[in-house]
């Protein structure tokens, strides 16, 4: 066994004297917290929400705080963003009468306590408040919620998308992508026979690109398998998973679930949509699932098989196939987040709410 500090040099990645991170072998981590503050300030400060509709004028003042952590990890060109942010912004509203006289000026806050890469495919919680709780103040707050929520969420989604592309590292990463392509083309032209160099190089380049595309399609999906135990009858658990009102109860989100084969389903406030493929009461649920953040045209298959080895004990075998490794924004945490969602947001919640054991 080698002594500490005397390992086989073939397995040691040493720092180069010039500081170059060759092929991004090391994790290249960039702290993005200050960049995130500047990003949100640029997006929100002075943003107009209402400009006179209904004699109401509302705009965002400024970002009050951006706390937490934000970073981008890059290794071998793979972008892995991470962030958990608590963001607050202030807003001001003014209500006028039909003659243009000011009835009330009020200030308020918008709090987003948890913007996280773990929930990149979901909209964050937004809390609105106003300092003047009188009738006109409440009217301003309601208008801010109705009109401002969609504007705020759009800007947050833009942040999520930008972080997935590298955040402050985006320009550097894009420049690195261009160089290998040129080098590859040059190499191909040299390696082909000299009889018709131009045609051969073009043909070789086409083959390489098609091969890469096929490989990505083949290897870009994962299967999630889980086995969970519940202290209940199989038919009771089946009914819970097929009852939209109970879904609303244990997920605290809207749900619409058809009980017919080929009928539509929508859960987690529409973040997941799909349809029933097979239904066998107390024994089997097969559904098509699609997350709104996935690339267009991608669907996965959820298969939930129920076994009841003894009365009052149910074993659930979940198989979730064709889960893409990346979402439409380039986040590579889709499989991890989906598995966590099944475990923490569905199975654990059912146990806690309905008392089916731990």
């Amino acid at each position: 066994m080698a002594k500490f500090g005397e390992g086989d040099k073939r397995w040691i990645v040493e720092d180069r004297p010039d500081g170059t991170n060759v092929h991004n072998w090391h994790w290249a981590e960039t702290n993005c917290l200050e960049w995130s503050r500047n990003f949100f300030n640029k997006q929100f400060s002075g943003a107009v929400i209402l400009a006179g509709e209904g004699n109401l004028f509302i705009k965002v003042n400024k970002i009050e705080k951006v706390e937490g952590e934000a970073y981008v990890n890059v290794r071998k060109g793979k972008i892995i963003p991470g962030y958990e942010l608590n963001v607050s912004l202030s807003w001001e509203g003014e209500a006028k009468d039909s003659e243009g006289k000011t009835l009330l000026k009020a200030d308020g806050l918008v709090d987003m306590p948890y913007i996280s890469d773990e929930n990149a495919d979901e909209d964050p919680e937004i809390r609105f408040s106003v300092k003047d709780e009188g009738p006109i103040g409440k009217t301003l707050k309601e208008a801010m919620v109705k009109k401002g929520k969609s504007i705020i969420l759009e800007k947050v989604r833009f942040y999520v998308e930008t972080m997935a592309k590298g955040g402050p590292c985006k320009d550097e990463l894009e420049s690195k992508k261009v160089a290998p392509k040129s080098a590859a083309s040059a190499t191909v032209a040299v390696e082909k026979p000299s009889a018709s160099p131009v045609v051969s190089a073009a043909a070789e380049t086409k083959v390489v690109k098609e091969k890469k595309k096929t490989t990505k399609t083949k290897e870009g999906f994962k299967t999630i398998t889980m086995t969970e135990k519940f202290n209940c009858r199989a038919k009771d658990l089946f009914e819970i998973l097929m009852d939209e009102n109970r879904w609303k109860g244990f997920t605290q989100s809207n749900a619409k679930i058809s009980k017919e084969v080929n009928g539509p389903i929508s859960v987690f406030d529409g973040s997941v949509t799909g349809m029933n493929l097979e239904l066998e009461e107390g024994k089997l649920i097969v559904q098509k699932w699609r997350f709104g953040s996935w690339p267009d045209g991608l669907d996965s298959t959820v298969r939930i098989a129920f076994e009841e080895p003894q009365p009052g004990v149910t074993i659930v075998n979940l198989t979730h196939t064709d889960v893409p490794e990346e979402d439409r924004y380039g986040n590579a945490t889709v499989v991890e987040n989906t598995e966590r969602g099944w475990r923490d947001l569905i199975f654990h919640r059912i146990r806690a709410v309905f008392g089916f054991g731990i």
Side-chain angles (χ1 to χ4, degrees), residues 41-329:
N41 267 311
K42 183 177 179 181
Q43 290 296 312
F44 285 108
S45 294
V48 176
I49 307 299
L50 282 174
E53 297 93 323
N55 293 323
L56 300 178
F57 299 81
I58 300 176
K59 70 173 184 178
V60 176
N61 276 334
K62 63 178 181 178
I63 292 291
E64 296 295 333
K65 70 176 180 181
V66 176
E67 297 177 346
E69 62 176 358
Y71 56 85
V72 169
N73 282 322
V74 180
R75 183 170 185 264
K76 290 191 174 182
K78 189 73 170 181
I79 301 170
I80 305 176
Y83 47 90
E84 290 185 6
L85 299 174
N86 181 356
V87 178
S88 292
L89 57 90
S90 59
W91 61 274
E92 63 179 30
E94 182 179 5
K96 296 184 178 182
D97 60 18
S98 57
E99 297 179 356
K101 295 180 179 179
T102 299
L103 298 175
L104 178 71
K105 287 185 177 181
D107 298 321
L109 290 174
V110 176
D111 293 307
M112 293 174 279
Y114 193 64
I115 300 175
S116 170
D117 62 284
E118 292 183 353
N119 303 321
D121 56 346
E122 302 175 13
D123 291 330
E125 176 189 4
I126 304 180
R127 302 170 184 169
F128 295 87
S129 62
V130 65
K131 293 180 180 179
D132 190 316
E133 290 288 350
I136 300 178
K138 289 182 179 179
T139 299
L140 286 168
K141 176 185 172 182
E142 291 170 359
M144 178 61 177
V145 173
K146 184 177 180 180
K147 183 71 174 180
K149 185 176 181 179
S150 60
I151 295 174
I152 292 169
L153 287 176
E154 181 181 355
K155 295 181 182 297
V156 171
R157 292 182 195 124
F158 183 45
Y159 172 80
V160 171
E161 181 179 351
T162 304
M163 283 291 286
K165 293 179 179 178
C169 309
K170 179 182 176 182
D171 292 339
E172 179 184 353
L173 292 169
E174 289 297 326
S175 65
K176 288 182 178 180
K177 287 181 181 178
V178 176
K181 291 183 179 179
S182 301
S185 298
T187 303
V188 169
V190 171
E191 291 177 351
K192 295 301 290 182
S194 58
S196 55
V198 176
V199 175
S200 298
E204 182 70 12
T205 302
K206 182 177 180 182
V207 170
V208 171
K209 288 183 178 179
E210 289 178 351
K211 183 177 180 181
K212 184 177 180 182
K213 182 177 180 181
T214 303
T215 302
K216 183 177 180 180
T217 302
K218 183 178 180 181
E219 297 182 353
F221 300 88
K222 296 289 186 180
T223 296
I224 297 171
T225 58
M226 299 178 69
T227 299
E228 298 284 332
K229 181 179 178 181
F230 296 84
N231 295 330
C232 66
R233 301 301 299 267
K235 65 179 183 66
D236 295 332
L237 192 55
F238 177 94
E239 290 176 0
I240 288 172
L241 290 171
M242 291 302 300
D243 188 312
E244 60 186 43
N245 289 321
R246 297 184 189 182
W247 260 89
K248 293 176 183 177
F250 73 80
T251 65
Q252 293 297 296
S253 63
N254 291 323
K256 293 182 180 179
I257 302 175
S258 170
K259 296 184 179 182
E260 304 294 330
V261 173
N262 296 325
I265 63 171
S266 173
V267 294
F268 293 111
D269 291 326
S271 294
V272 177
T273 56
M275 64 181 293
N276 296 319
L277 301 178
E278 296 180 48
L279 296 174
E280 189 174 352
E281 187 174 359
K283 294 184 178 181
L284 180 66
I285 296 174
V286 181
Q287 296 172 327
K288 180 189 295 184
W289 273 39
R290 168 178 168 74
F291 289 73
S293 61
W294 288 1
D296 294 338
L298 296 187
D299 293 296
S300 63
T301 301
V302 169
R303 188 180 191 276
I304 306 174
F306 303 84
E307 298 178 6
E308 193 170 341
Q310 64 187 71
V313 176
T314 296
I315 304 298
V316 170
N317 293 300
L318 166 73
T319 306
H320 193 165
T321 59
D322 296 326
V323 179
E325 293 181 343
E326 295 185 354
D327 62 17
R328 68 169 71 241
Y329 309 112

Side-chain angles (χ1 to χ4, degrees), residues 12-63:
I12 299 175
V13 182
E14 298 179 332
D15 292 332
R16 286 171 50 122
D18 59 5
T20 302
N21 185 2
V22 181
H23 302 308
N24 280 324
W25 181 268
H26 300 286
W27 284 102
E29 180 170 299
T30 301
N31 189 326
C32 302
L33 183 57
E34 190 60 33
W35 176 88
S36 297
R37 290 193 179 104
N38 294 333
F39 183 97
F40 283 118
N41 267 311
K42 183 177 179 181
Q43 290 296 312
F44 285 108
S45 294
V48 176
I49 307 299
L50 282 174
E53 297 93 323
N55 293 323
L56 300 178
F57 299 81
I58 300 176
K59 70 173 184 178
V60 176
N61 276 334
K62 63 178 181 178
I63 292 291

